[in-house]
């Protein structure tokens, strides 16, 4: 997880202009805090923040606040510079700095940097969904949908402060109304032409496609495709009518309870195969369905989508032709996919200019086998953990991460390789489905089989018994399940939501009433993909077992609000060169912002040289002097005006006005006034007491935090003095040494220590080289055989059964040989002495032939004799010791 640097942005805090983006609307500001909280905690997801680059759109009540965060930051920094320049000018008579400041600040654009957008909605805005091209904004209330044409950024710096009124269109003025089912999701289709196709999903399981055009108002009134999932689930042929019913008299049906939609989701545009055109729908009761392929009439695929689909369909057809066990349903499905691809291949795409000068290829939706696909599901959860608490909760959101593009199969046989994005390098070759329940439990599921395009059989095939049997229910593998909420934080009326991250698609945020949680699936994605792509099957079960029992997802709570009031907006991730990487959310009155370390800074830190390990082999971690803490906001109750004066003014103009001008008398009217006054004052005093108590507790905790900070600073100071040598006691002679010399001496000591460590490492390496086993040479083998032969001749064969008797007999033979050698030696000595004595008596030496032997040969012969004598002596000593041991035994 990225490290949090800060929890505050001064340019978005009160009283700066940026804080006005997150202030309460005028309707809620007049209400007490408890009523404002309950109004914001209404049922439904709360995605009230949308972004376009550095611009942010924040919904509050029935208004949309629009601002440029980077511009607001620059304006705040310019104001701070102006304040510092003014204070410097008051202390210096020179006015040069004032002139330079005017020259620099005059270049800044003039304007507040934020505007208020007036909307035609009649109730509170619940969701803001921006289009892929960032030119349109879908504004959702609980039952209605409006589309706003976003204005240009220049309106923020034009100097005007009046509310801005852009062009709005009402989507489905007779379809999405308060008298009909609520709208739970509005999704921009990833394959829409220039991001102009909007898909709405209502609570009664009706999916509608709207292909919008700003020059055709009729496109906002009638959907181009309408599918009732309850009818589609019971459908038998592709020729049936699956449109939504127009009847207002609805009887009770179990499908109204089982197929109550909670959320819907499309994978990203760059996903593999059929994923970009698959709509995943999560039902409140826990079922998951898929609708594939769901396409608009005119759609624009990415360059690799159609070739990859052609390759997959061709491989499937080839496999089924050689498979003798293929069922009729599989052959029918393959025939339908081939027919769909043939219709697509026969088209000539139209070329349109994209928003950024790109050329877009536009295709028409194939009409055969049909425009409405088959509803796949409900999916069974394989190896699902048993959780009694979660069984009673409802699903609230779904997030689908599509599989990576399979460029290897696509470019098979080609001379060059297709360029792969950075996201595809460490991605998974299967889709990941994340489900979120009311209890904050997240289920990570894997689509092992993969969702493919399916249609219902034609009418003639359905009459002949073709169809998908019940036992072919698709399944999802539950890979990991974890909780983001504590049991005490679970509330039945909460609606947690997912939010995608901008750094990697395998990381997301979970926003709920108790805070914001960061989740990263990166720890196991690359490991699992490596196992799936590996050709070796040895030890696969063991490695998968270790991976399942080991580290799964990285889950960390990054923000906890002061009050759990169900008013946190869904977290929105930003990353820009001007502001860095941060996450923005909001309460009913204040922003919530968290700045992270940017990936660039993490890469730079990774490239730095790692510190030398300590004696224990551990790398010392840097001392954290300052830890970021969430910004404390005092309760708005302390700054809210009292409701008592307006109540008194209302009494003076009501029919009870005479009672306000006379003495207090006991009457029913007086009792009513006192009762109403007591209710107002008690509610205000109660809120003030809670706010003051919270402020006191925060101030009391601030003293302990300040002491902790002082302690850490003191530790850092001691460490710096130790490094520089200032903290050590020095002699008078050493006091004259400069700090530079002390630092150099310390560096020299560290160099010597490093050399010693390097020497130790070399010695260990040499030892390891000696210990390592290698094959013996022929000479070494011969010498070992000679040693074994000599040992067997002296000590006997170890494999004999009667080892003691064999050793005694062998030792006796060796002793007998030794005695013979001694007798021969004594005889030779006697003969030599006799010859010497004879020569001395005669006085003449016997005639002996004079032989000249080289000295080196004599030395070698003498050395050989001495070696033989040493060996015989050692053998005799060994035999004696062996006999002594045997006699003792």
């Amino acid at each position: 997880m990225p490290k949090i640097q800060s929890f505050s942005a001064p340019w978005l805090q009160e009283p700066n202009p940026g804080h006005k983006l997150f202030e309460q609307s005028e309707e809620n500001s007049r209400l007490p805090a408890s009523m404002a909280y309950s109004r914001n905690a209404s049922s439904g997801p709360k995605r009230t923040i949308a972004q376009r680059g550095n611009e942010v759109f924040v919904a509050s009540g029935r208004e949309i606040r629009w601002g440029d965060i980077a511009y607001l930051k620059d304006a705040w920094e310019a104001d701070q510079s102006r304040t510092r320049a003014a204070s410097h000018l008051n202390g210096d008579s020179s006015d040069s700095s004032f002139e330079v400041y005017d020259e620099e600040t005059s270049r800044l654009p003039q304007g507040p940097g934020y505007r208020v957008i007036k909307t035609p909605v009649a109730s509170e805005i619940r969701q803001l969904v921006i289009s892929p091209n960032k030119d349109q904004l879908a504004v959702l209330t609980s039952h209605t949908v409006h589309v706003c044409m976003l204005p240009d950024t220049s309106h923020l710096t034009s100097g005007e402060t009046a509310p801005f009124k852009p062009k709005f269109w009402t989507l489905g003025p007779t379809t999405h109304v308060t008298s009909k089912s609520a709208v739970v999701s509005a999704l921009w289709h990833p394959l829409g032409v220039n991001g102009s196709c909007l898909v709405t999903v209502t609570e009664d399981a009706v999916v509608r496609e709207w292909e919008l055009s700003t020059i055709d108002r009729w496109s906002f009134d009638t959907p181009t495709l309408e599918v009732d999932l309850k009818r589609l689930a019971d459908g038998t042929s592709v020729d049936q009518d699956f449109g939504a019913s127009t009847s207002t008299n609805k009887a009770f049906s179990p499908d109204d309870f089982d197929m109550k939609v909670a959320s819907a989701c499309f994978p990203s545009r760059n996903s593999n195969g059929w994923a970009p055109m698959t709509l995943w729908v999560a039902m409140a009761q826990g079922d998951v369905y898929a609708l594939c392929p769901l396409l608009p009439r005119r759609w624009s695929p990415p360059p690799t989508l159609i070739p990859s689909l052609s390759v997959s369909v061709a491989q499937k057809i080839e496999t089924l032709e050689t498979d003798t066990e293929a069922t009729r349903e599989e052959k029918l499905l393959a025939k339908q996919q081939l027919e769909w691809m043939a219709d697509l291949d026969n088209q000539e795409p139209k070329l349109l200019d994209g928003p950024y000068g790109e050329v877009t290829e536009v295709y028409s939706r194939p009409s055969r086998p049909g425009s409405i696909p088959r509803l796949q599901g409900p999916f069974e959860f394989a190896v699902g953990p048993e959780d009694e608490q979660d069984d009673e909760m409802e699903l609230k959101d779904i997030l689908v991460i599509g599989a990576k593009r399979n460029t290897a199969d696509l470019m098979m046989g080609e001379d060059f390789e297709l360029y792969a994005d950075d996201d595809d390098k460490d991605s998974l070759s299967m889709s990941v489905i994340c489900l979120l329940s009311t209890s904050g439990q997240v289920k990570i599921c894997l689509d092992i089989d993969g969702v493919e395009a399916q249609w219902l059989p034609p009418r003639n095939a359905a009459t002949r018994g073709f169809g998908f049997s019940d036992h072919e229910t698709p399944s999802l593998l539950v890979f990991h399940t974890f909780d983001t909420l504590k049991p005490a934080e679970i509330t039945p009326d909460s609606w947690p939501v997912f939010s995608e991250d901008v750094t990697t698609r395998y990381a997301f945020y979970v926003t709920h009433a108790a805070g914001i949680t960061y989740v990263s699936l990166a720890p196991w994605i690359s490991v699992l993909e490596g196992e799936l792509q590996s050709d070796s099957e040895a030890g696969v079960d063991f490695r998968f077992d270790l991976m399942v029992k080991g580290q799964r997802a990285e889950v960390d709570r990054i923000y906890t609000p002061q009050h759990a009031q169900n008013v946190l907006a869904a977290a929105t991730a930003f990353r820009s060169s001007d502001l860095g990487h941060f996450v923005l959310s909001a309460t009913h009155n204040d922003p919530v912002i968290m700045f992270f370390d940017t990936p660039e800074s993490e890469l730079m830190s990774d490239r730095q040289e790692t510190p030398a390990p300590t004696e224990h082999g551990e790398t010392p971690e840097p001392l954290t002097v300052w830890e970021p803490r969430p910004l404390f906001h005092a309760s708005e109750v302390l700054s809210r005006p009292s409701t008592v004066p307006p109540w008194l003014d209302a009494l003076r103009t009501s029919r009870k006005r005479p009672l306000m001008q006379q003495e207090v008398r006991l009457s029913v009217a007086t009792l009513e006034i006192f009762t109403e006054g007591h209710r107002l004052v008690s509610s205000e005093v109660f809120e003030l007491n809670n706010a003051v108590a919270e402020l006191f507790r925060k101030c009391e905790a601030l003293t302990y935090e300040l002491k902790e900070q002082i302690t850490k600073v003191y530790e850092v100071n001691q460490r710096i003095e130790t490094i520089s040598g200032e903290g050590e006691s020095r002699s008078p002679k050493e006091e004259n040494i400069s700090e530079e010399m002390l630092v150099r001496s310390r560096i020299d000591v560290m160099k010597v220590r490093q050399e010693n460590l390097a020497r130790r490492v070399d010695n260990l390496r040499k030892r390891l080289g000696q210990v390592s086993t290698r094959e013996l040479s022929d000479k070494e083998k011969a010498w070992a055989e000679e040693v074994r032969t000599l040992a067997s001749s002296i000590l006997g064969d170890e494999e004999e059964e009667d080892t003691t008797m064999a050793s005694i007999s062998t030792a006796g033979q060796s002793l007998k040989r030794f005695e013979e050698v001694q007798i021969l030696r004594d005889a030779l000595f006697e003969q030599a002495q006799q010859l010497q004595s004879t020569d001395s008596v005669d006085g003449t030496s016997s005639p002996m032939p004079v032989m000249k032997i080289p000295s080196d040969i004599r030395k070698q012969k003498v050395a050989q004799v001495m070696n033989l004598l040493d060996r015989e002596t050692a053998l005799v000593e060994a035999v004696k010791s062996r006999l002594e041991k045997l006699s003792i035994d």
Side-chain angles (χ1 to χ4, degrees), residues 180 208 226 228 231 243-250:
K180 295 187 178 181
R208 296 179 175 89
E226 187 177 34
D228 189 347
R231 287 188 174 184
S245 176
T246 58
S247 175
T248 57
N249 298 326
K250 293 184 178 181

Side-chain angles (χ1 to χ4, degrees), residues 11-199:
W11 59 91
L12 298 180
Q13 304 300 330
E14 199 174 9
N16 297 309
H19 186 265
K20 296 182 179 179
L21 293 171
F22 305 93
E23 288 182 348
Q24 288 190 42
S25 60
E26 296 181 358
E27 299 177 2
N28 293 337
S29 61
R30 303 190 189 100
L31 299 175
S34 58
M35 295 183 64
Y37 297 156
S38 61
R39 193 167 186 176
N40 283 280
S42 58
S43 178
K46 186 176 176 62
R47 295 186 174 92
T48 55
I49 299 178
Q51 64 143 336
R52 182 177 64 175
N54 292 332
E55 302 173 39
V56 62
F57 300 87
V58 183
S60 179
R62 294 185 296 174
E63 296 178 347
I64 298 177
R65 280 77 179 275
W66 170 39
D68 190 337
I69 302 180
Y71 178 86
L72 292 172
K73 179 183 178 182
D74 294 339
W76 176 80
E77 291 177 349
D79 184 64
Q80 295 296 315
S81 301
R82 187 183 298 109
T83 303
R84 288 192 297 267
S87 61
H88 178 72
L89 186 62
N90 293 333
D92 190 359
S93 58
S94 175
D95 57 351
S96 59
S97 61
F98 184 76
E99 294 175 358
V100 173
Y101 173 74
D102 280 346
E103 183 180 356
E104 292 179 353
T105 56
S106 61
R107 300 174 185 174
L108 295 175
Q110 302 297 324
Y114 69 92
R115 297 286 294 273
V116 176
I117 297 179
K118 289 295 184 180
T119 64
V121 301
S123 58
E124 182 185 8
I125 299 175
R126 301 297 305 174
Q127 299 185 60
L128 297 178
V129 187
I130 198 166
S131 64
N133 292 339
K134 311 295 184 181
D135 57 348
Q136 296 179 358
L137 181 69
V139 182
L140 279 71
T141 63
S142 59
H143 289 78
T144 62
V145 181
H146 294 77
V147 179
C148 171
M149 180 61 65
L150 294 180
D152 189 72
T153 312
S154 59
H155 292 281
L156 292 173
T157 58
S158 61
E160 299 180 2
T161 58
F164 190 76
K165 296 182 179 180
K167 180 64 176 177
F168 271 90
W169 288 273
T170 302
L171 190 68
T174 59
T175 304
H176 297 307
V177 292
T178 56
S179 61
K180 295 187 178 181
S181 182
V183 180
V184 294
S185 295
L187 311 168
W188 294 96
H189 201 294
L191 301 181
V193 178
N194 294 332
S196 60
C197 179
L198 186 64
V199 178

Side-chain angles (χ1 to χ4, degrees), residues 525-541:
I525 287 294
S526 58
V527 179
L528 179 59
E529 180 62 18
E531 293 294 340
L532 294 176
Q533 299 299 331
S534 178
D535 297 333
S536 176
E537 297 182 359
V540 172
D541 296 338

Side-chain angles (χ1 to χ4, degrees), residues 50 106 128 144 232 252 354 363 419 470 512 527 557 667 791 838:
S106 61
L128 297 178
T144 62
L232 186 60
F252 172 77
Y363 290 84
Y419 173 76
D470 295 336
H512 40 68
V527 179
R557 176 77 66 87
S667 63
T838 305

Side-chain angles (χ1 to χ4, degrees), residues 794-795 811 814-815 818 822 869-885:
I794 296 175
L795 302 176
S814 300
L815 183 59
F818 181 71
Q822 283 184 340
L869 291 175
D870 292 339
R871 291 177 63 182
E872 292 294 338
T873 305
L875 290 173
V876 170
E877 294 296 333
V879 170
K880 285 183 179 180
S881 61
R882 187 69 177 267
L883 291 174
E884 290 175 357
K885 292 180 180 180

Side-chain angles (χ1 to χ4, degrees), residues 274 277-279 290-294 373-374 376 451-455:
W274 304 96
M277 57 187 75
T278 303
L279 177 66
L291 204 60
C292 177
L294 183 65
R374 173 181 175 266
Q376 304 178 42
V451 173
E452 297 182 348
Q454 292 186 14
W455 294 267

Side-chain angles (χ1 to χ4, degrees), residues 514-696:
I516 302 174
T517 303
Y518 172 81
V519 180
S520 175
L521 308 181
W524 57 268
I525 287 294
S526 58
V527 179
L528 179 59
E529 180 62 18
E531 293 294 340
L532 294 176
Q533 299 299 331
S534 178
D535 297 333
S536 176
E537 297 182 359
V540 172
D541 296 338
F542 175 73
R543 293 194 298 271
F544 270 101
D545 185 64
L546 288 180
M547 183 174 56
V548 169
K549 295 180 180 179
Q551 185 181 7
R552 306 286 190 85
E554 182 181 355
V555 183
D556 192 4
R557 176 77 66 87
I558 61 176
Y559 176 75
T560 302
Q562 303 169 13
H563 307 283
Q565 299 158 347
N566 280 354
V567 292
L568 271 181
T572 305
F574 290 74
R575 187 175 66 173
S576 66
S577 57
D578 299 329
L579 300 172
H581 179 206
F582 65 95
V583 171
L584 182 64
S585 181
T587 62
H588 68 285
N589 193 40
D590 293 299
V592 175
I593 189 168
M594 288 149 286
F595 287 92
F596 300 107
D597 285 339
T598 57
E600 290 78 11
S601 63
E602 294 177 359
L603 290 176
M604 292 298 295
S605 62
D606 292 338
R607 292 173 184 173
Q608 294 178 358
E609 185 179 358
T610 56
T614 59
E615 296 180 357
H616 300 284
E618 298 178 356
T619 303
E621 297 183 358
L623 180 63
T624 303
V625 181
W626 176 78
E627 296 181 357
R629 300 187 305 273
L631 191 64
F632 174 74
H633 295 279
S635 179
E636 67 278 1
V637 176
L638 301 176
S639 59
R640 182 186 300 155
S642 176
T643 57
V644 175
W647 173 66
L648 293 175
D649 295 339
L651 284 178
R652 292 189 182 96
T653 58
S654 64
R655 59 184 180 85
K656 298 178 182 179
R657 181 179 55 183
L659 297 177
M660 303 296 296
Q661 300 175 358
Q662 62 184 0
E663 296 179 357
V664 177
R665 297 180 180 179
L666 299 178
S667 63
V668 178
T670 304
L671 181 60
E672 291 177 356
I673 294 175
F674 274 95
T675 302
E676 186 176 358
H678 179 270
R679 180 178 57 81
L680 293 176
V681 174
S682 62
S683 62
E684 289 190 1
V685 170
F686 177 76
E687 294 177 354
L688 286 173
N689 287 337
N690 292 336
V692 172
E694 181 185 7
L695 184 60
F696 175 78

